[in-house]
Amino acid sequence: MSLSGVCVTAVESRPAGVIGTSQSPSHRPFGARAKAFVALTKPRIIELLLITTVPVMFLAEQGVPDLGLVLLTCVGGYLSAGGANALNMYIDRDIDALMDRTSQRPLVTGMVSPRECLVFGITLAVVSTLLFGLTVNWLSAWLSLGALLFYVVVYTMILKRRTSQNIVWGGIAGCMPVLIGWTAVTGSLAWAPVILFMVIFFWTPPHYWPLSMKVKDDYARVGVPMLPVIASNKTVARQIVIYSWVMVAVSLLLTPLGYTGWFYTAVALVAGGWWLWEAHALQNRAKAEVTGAKLKEMRLFHWSITYVSLLFVAVAVDPFLR
């Protein structure tokens, strides 16, 4: 999932070059500094990652997993994703200074220096890997580290500024928590987490592209070729519909393979049906060449968060109803 900046909104743009220099150490109070370091981890994005991690642990256990294990997995996952997000901000600090929606990030305002951010991100990466390996298992640790490296190196450093497929393949990092949650309980992989991995893979583009449609001028200004920057709204909406249909179809594979029962199936059908309704509605507005606020692209973005939350709650609840 790119998850880069999905839930961060800002209102002030800054000129190029104003990065990490606007505040001296004497003007950076401790409380504000602490909040800034928390902001480097992008907590609201990590909420989504944990929403997909914990329910899979219930599915793997077919009941209530060890709560201590759940806590350790959540802490390790937060630290790992937080480290990845901090390193993402370090690498993207140049374009963050030019985009309205990221102009209040800690490195841009100078609340955190680039060096501090780099050390912070690397420290979280090391600590999270060791925490996973020593308290959960090493398979989960390597999956977590792999997700971090994929997000930082493959997405942020290689794909993001080079291809409109950046969020498609870069989103693999956001799919990894379902594998981590499953392996934390079982110590091995199976088809169930792979299917849920694919659900998140196909969910990520139609989740993120509506937001990119809304802020495409920001991306165009800094030369990041998000799909809405280089393609028409009609093309983007058509891609959203295609990915949405595949996502819903994949989400229904768990039941015939015996991993879930009637409750999950019902939620997947209803929530997926509503998603498809919204996706096709967006496509119809795009075909009619509706622009501006009337395009209502953010309806699908907001629903996408509700959808993934409902689907994974159903994953956790289903074992108790079978």
Side-chain angles (χ1 to χ4, degrees), residues 137 139 179 182-190 193:
N137 59 60
L139 176 56
L179 303 184
W182 185 277
T183 57
V185 173
T186 67
S188 62
L189 288 170

Side-chain angles (χ1 to χ4, degrees), residues 1 47-57 174-175 177-179 181 196 200 308 312:
M1 67 177 90
E47 288 176 15
L48 281 177
L49 299 181
L50 296 181
I51 284 173
T52 62
T53 303
V54 176
V56 174
M57 298 180 75
C175 304
V178 298
L179 303 184
L196 291 171
I200 299 300
V308 80
F312 277 83

Side-chain angles (χ1 to χ4, degrees), residues 164-244:
S164 63
Q165 295 297 298
N166 47 19
I167 199 66
V168 175
W169 300 106
I172 288 174
C175 304
M176 297 295 282
V178 298
L179 303 184
I180 295 167
W182 185 277
T183 57
V185 173
T186 67
S188 62
L189 288 170
W191 279 112
V194 172
I195 290 169
L196 291 171
F197 177 102
M198 296 305 297
V199 170
I200 299 300
F201 178 81
F202 289 109
W203 169 86
T204 302
H207 158 69
Y208 197 79
W209 281 334
L211 177 64
S212 300
M213 294 169 76
K214 179 74 172 180
V215 297
K216 64 181 179 181
D217 290 342
D218 253 0
Y219 284 119
R221 185 183 308 128
V222 296
V224 174
M226 290 294 178
L227 185 60
V229 173
I230 67 168
S232 67
N233 286 342
K234 287 189 287 186
T235 299
V236 177
R238 181 170 65 250
Q239 290 295 309
I240 286 173
V241 167
I242 292 171
Y243 275 88
S244 297

